[in-house]
Amino acid sequence: MSTLEIRDLHVSITTDEVDKEILRGVDLTIRSGETHAIMGPNGSGKSTLAYSIAGHPKYTVTSGSVTLDGEDVLAMSVDERARAGLFLAMQYPIEVPGITVSNFLRTAKTAVDGEAPKLRTWVKEVKEAMGNLRMDPAFAERGVNEGFSGGEKKRHEILQLELLKPRFAILDETDSGLDVDALRIVSEGVNRAQETTGMGVLLITHYTRILRYIRPQFVHVFVDGAIAEQGGPELADQLEDEGYDRFVTAGV
Amino acid sequence: MSLLADKTSRPAAPHADSAAAFAPEQSRAERTRSYAVADFPLPTGREEEWRFTPVDRLRALFRDEPTGRCLDWQESLPAGVTITGMSVADWQASGAAAPADRAAVVAAAHSGGVGVLDIPAEACPTEPVKVTLVGDSGDLVHGHLLIRAGHHAKATVVLGHRGRAAYSEVLTVVAGDGADLTVVTLQEWDDTSIHLGQHDVVVGRDASVKHIAVTLGGAVVRLNTNASYAGPGGTFEGYGVYFADAGQHLEHRLFVDHEAPHCRSNVEYKGALQGDGAHTVWVGDVLIRAAAEGTQTYELNRNLLLTDGARADSVPNLEIETGEIAGAGHASATGRFDDEQLFYLQARGIPEAEARRLVVRGFFASVVSRIGVPEVIGHLMAAIDEELGAV
């Protein structure tokens, strides 16, 4: 059983030499096997939370803490966080030309596990995972995200999630830009990974439709850089009916 | 007009050290080609062909006098492949392409003789021909080499350059009809070395020549590669990989002269730069003459700036005198190292140094995959990793 604990997290970004505070004291605790949905209007800081946990250099943590089973995540480099068991499925995965997907996956797996995977079982595992996500095997020999469509990039993110088996996965608007078939396939991948590994999931989304496939036990409404309200799955249903207006006006 | 017949052409007006000498040329074809040193005044650095080059560091290589020095040769020749000598006079009489700048004309005049590497007609050695030239004293050396592949020969020649030297060379590559020749030139000099080269590639009828330049070492390296076609149906591929560190000047100029019909050319050069004062230059000239109908040509240069303080100049030029071509294009781009790519790889657990290596290897991958000589690729990748280790 692992715990990812976020305490009073304040995060700023610097643009044109002006600091702007995006996160204003976030508190959140996620345990293995749990699924938390973070919902909120655009610009509320949801993605900032995701990238701050992953350690993107653009974001500066000004106070607060993030710990994984008591270990200080904020003191770790980006790759150390990943090796500690954190995974960020990005909203806009980056293209890295010239590195094949298969080479990338093997290199990442080796880094995360601390040893190279056994060739025969690894090849089989990759093939099977790609099949489950309805990915053409030819993708293995293409450059990382190079020329992938939006939907292909998302499948590739979930492929990595299934293969790297993190302790906690943060899914940053994984549903955006997916048609209903792709949304189902990707969601099944997340559920499969959770069943296999018992990972905790932090699902960041603007809309409720992905919650029909990935059922959260906890729903947090994110407004203006902090959690404004939390509850169970019924809160998501309420948001679907009412939208974010209530929170946005309250914030003004 | 044939480039081979053009060897003594010169501009109508004599060169004078005045503004008149710098009147912009109307066509790439107008540049002087000659065996006479006097036809090439000392470069000032303002000329089109010298404007990016640190000419002040090259004065000794422009001086019209022999040095009597040579580089140490190490050869590995497959059966049937021979190295012999030829006098400079015989070489000139053979109709080979003439020197095109001051350094080349001096090198050709004072090399003391031409080394001739012959691959017999229809020979297909399975092992590459290897010649490595090594300098140990830093001396000024003039070199002159002719590589001849007979008709329908198929071979790979790897020409290595190492050690300390100020080397000025002319290399002529003549591929007979239907030949399939790959020439790899590796510049792995010590950091103090200087290397100026003029490489002329003559592609025979239906022949295919791949010229690959890999430039990693040397204080100043400048290679001018000129390709021309002796008949229709030929293919020239020019690939290059360079990696400039602090203080290095690495320059590659290409001129593909399409005068025969139905020929193809493809040029792809990729370079990485790191450190203060690292400077690379790539100039890609392509001329499609009126007679060169059905030409297909493309040239591409990409540069990756790994740190601040480095500079990459990239100039593609395309001159077309006929509309009856199959295709012509060029692309050039210089960009900084993308930190988002680094973040993406690190976010998957890959340590920073390894992630950097992957990104740079990925950048070079497209051109490296075209080299097609496994031992050169392995060697090159190891050398690039070593360069990155020095960041």
Side-chain angles (χ1 to χ4, degrees):
Chain A
M1 175 67 81
S2 291
T3 308
L4 178 65
E5 201 164 356
I6 300 160
R7 283 289 159 265
D8 194 29
L9 190 68
H10 289 254
V11 172
S12 295
I13 59 166
T14 307
T15 43
D16 302 329
E17 293 179 27
V18 179
D19 289 340
K20 188 179 175 209
E21 185 168 64
I22 312 266
L23 299 187
R24 305 158 188 264
V26 178
D27 288 288
L28 190 63
T29 302
I30 309 167
R31 293 181 182 83
S32 297
E34 293 179 354
T35 300
H36 293 245
I38 291 200
M39 307 192 60
N42 291 327
S44 58
K46 304 186 300 288
S47 286
T48 298
L49 177 63
Y51 279 88
S52 302
I53 296 169
H56 194 287
K58 186 171 139 196
Y59 303 97
T60 309
V61 175
T62 52
S63 67
S65 67
V66 178
T67 55
L68 177 58
D69 294 336
E71 296 277 329
D72 183 0
V73 170
L74 299 179
M76 300 178 195
S77 65
V78 175
D79 47 293
E80 284 169 346
R81 295 178 198 207
R83 293 199 296 275
L86 298 178
F87 181 91
L88 169 63
M90 298 186 201
Q91 186 177 357
Y92 301 109
I94 306 297
E95 298 194 11
V96 195
I99 305 171
T100 61
V101 166
S102 71
N103 181 15
F104 164 65
L105 293 174
R106 198 176 51 244
T107 307
K109 184 66 177 172
T110 304
V112 164
D113 287 5
E115 59 176 354
K118 290 207 170 38
L119 192 62
R120 192 183 299 175
T121 49
W122 173 247
V123 169
K124 192 168 157 249
E125 198 178 339
V126 172
K127 210 170 156 187
E128 196 175 303
M130 289 181 81
N132 287 337
L133 290 165
R134 317 278 193 281
M135 287 178 80
D136 186 329
F139 274 81
E141 295 314 313
R142 288 176 57 177
V144 171
N145 295 321
E146 203 179 350
F148 287 21
S149 71
E152 288 161 352
K153 285 181 180 172
K154 296 297 174 69
R155 287 175 207 222
H156 181 221
E157 293 294 282
I158 302 309
L159 174 67
Q160 296 166 52
L161 171 67
E162 288 203 65
L163 293 170
L164 298 180
K165 306 188 189 332
R167 286 198 275 169
F168 290 94
I170 302 159
L171 310 179
D172 186 18
E173 309 225 5
T174 294
D175 53 330
S176 70
L178 294 184
D179 63 30
V180 68
D181 288 334
L183 181 62
R184 187 177 47 76
I185 289 165
V186 159
S187 300
E188 283 169 4
V190 175
N191 291 335
R192 222 170 18 241
Q194 192 172 36
E195 278 160 28
T196 322
T197 65
M199 67 177 180
V201 174
L202 181 59
L203 179 68
I204 292 172
T205 181
H206 182 89
Y207 300 102
T208 53
R209 59 182 195 137
I210 194 172
L211 305 184
R212 285 175 220 140
Y213 303 97
I214 303 173
R215 306 294 305 182
Q217 294 91 40
F218 307 92
V219 174
H220 312 267
V221 183
F222 214 69
V223 179
D224 200 20
I227 291 168
E229 191 168 330
Q230 38 200 336
E234 72 288 347
L235 185 52
D237 299 332
Q238 197 185 334
L239 286 169
E240 173 137 282
D241 296 337
E242 299 172 7
Y244 295 110
D245 288 355
R246 176 163 64 94
F247 299 100
V248 176
T249 11
V252 172
Chain B
M1 184 164 62
S2 152
L3 191 124
L4 297 180
D6 199 25
K7 59 184 187 272
T8 53
S9 72
R10 60 188 76 157
H15 279 293
D17 194 15
S18 71
F22 307 125
E25 61 196 14
Q26 297 303 304
S27 166
R28 182 63 173 80
E30 289 176 10
R31 292 214 193 141
T32 306
R33 281 235 172 194
S34 169
Y35 293 110
V37 176
D39 284 340
F40 298 94
L42 287 170
T44 63
R46 294 195 298 275
E47 302 83 354
E48 176 58 35
E49 66 266 41
W50 291 105
R51 66 190 177 106
F52 295 111
T53 318
V55 291
D56 286 342
R57 294 159 73 182
L58 308 175
R59 292 290 167 212
L61 288 79
F62 300 145
R63 210 172 295 139
D64 185 12
E65 58 190 33
T67 67
R69 304 281 176 178
C70 56
L71 298 174
D72 181 37
W73 282 55
Q74 299 165 1
E75 316 156 356
S76 160
L77 305 181
V81 177
T82 57
I83 292 185
T84 53
M86 183 191 275
S87 74
V88 173
D90 285 349
W91 178 73
Q92 291 187 11
S94 76
D101 70 22
R102 174 77 184 196
V105 75
V106 168
H110 299 299
S111 65
V114 183
V116 183
L117 193 154
D118 270 305
I119 299 147
E122 298 187 33
C124 300
T126 49
E127 291 295 304
V129 180
K130 283 190 239 175
V131 177
T132 304
L133 307 179
V134 184
D136 59 4
S137 56
D139 285 347
L140 175 57
V141 177
H142 298 123
H144 198 163
L145 187 63
L146 171 62
I147 298 174
R148 288 192 296 211
H151 70 84
H152 301 98
K154 180 178 165 62
T156 295
V157 179
V158 180
L159 197 54
H161 301 93
R162 293 207 309 262
R164 290 196 309 124
Y167 185 50
S168 189
E169 55 140 356
V170 174
L171 168 68
T172 308
V173 177
V174 180
D177 292 353
D180 181 351
L181 180 64
T182 297
V183 176
V184 184
T185 171
L186 298 169
Q187 287 64 245
E188 297 185 287
W189 299 105
D190 286 3
D191 287 346
T192 54
S193 293
I194 291 174
H195 180 183
L196 301 183
Q198 174 177 323
H199 295 184
D200 290 290
V201 176
V202 182
V203 183
R205 182 187 182 107
D206 298 326
S208 181
V209 180
K210 219 188 251 191
H211 178 278
I212 298 160
V214 176
T215 305
L216 304 169
V220 178
V221 175
R222 175 179 139 119
L223 295 182
N224 297 336
T225 302
N226 308 309
S228 60
Y229 300 83
T235 298
F236 172 77
E237 295 169 277
Y239 301 124
V241 173
Y242 48 89
F243 201 124
D245 291 317
Q248 275 187 302
H249 176 97
L250 307 180
E251 179 168 346
H252 298 88
R253 289 173 170 260
L254 291 103
F255 173 36
V256 183
D257 189 349
H258 280 280
E259 57 185 338
H262 305 293
C263 290
R264 288 165 300 277
S265 64
N266 184 38
V267 170
E268 181 172 345
Y269 271 64
K270 286 191 165 185
L273 300 84
Q274 65 184 4
D276 244 9
H279 187 197
T280 66
V281 178
W282 178 84
V283 178
D285 294 336
V286 173
L287 168 60
I288 304 173
R289 298 189 192 240
E293 295 184 355
T295 294
Q296 171 90 44
T297 175
Y298 193 77
E299 48 175 356
L300 176 144
N301 176 231
R302 294 247 185 282
N303 297 293
L304 180 61
L305 301 174
L306 298 173
T307 64
D308 288 336
R311 172 181 169 156
D313 287 294
S314 178
V315 187
N317 296 302
L318 183 53
E319 207 181 323
I320 307 179
E321 295 175 353
T322 173
E324 301 297 311
I325 58 170
H330 60 217
S332 160
T334 296
R336 287 173 169 280
F337 186 86
D338 186 347
D339 289 330
E340 292 297 329
Q341 294 181 345
L342 198 61
F343 174 73
Y344 188 77
L345 297 179
Q346 283 190 264
R348 299 304 180 243
I350 301 170
E352 181 176 348
E354 193 179 355
R356 269 186 174 277
R357 268 200 301 276
L358 277 175
V359 171
V360 176
R361 275 173 166 253
F363 168 76
F364 283 119
S366 64
V367 64
V368 167
S369 69
R370 294 177 194 278
I371 289 176
V373 185
E375 62 180 272
V376 171
I377 293 173
H379 178 74
L380 170 61
M381 280 312 189
I384 288 173
D385 284 352
E386 199 174 309
E387 296 274 358
L388 290 169
V391 175

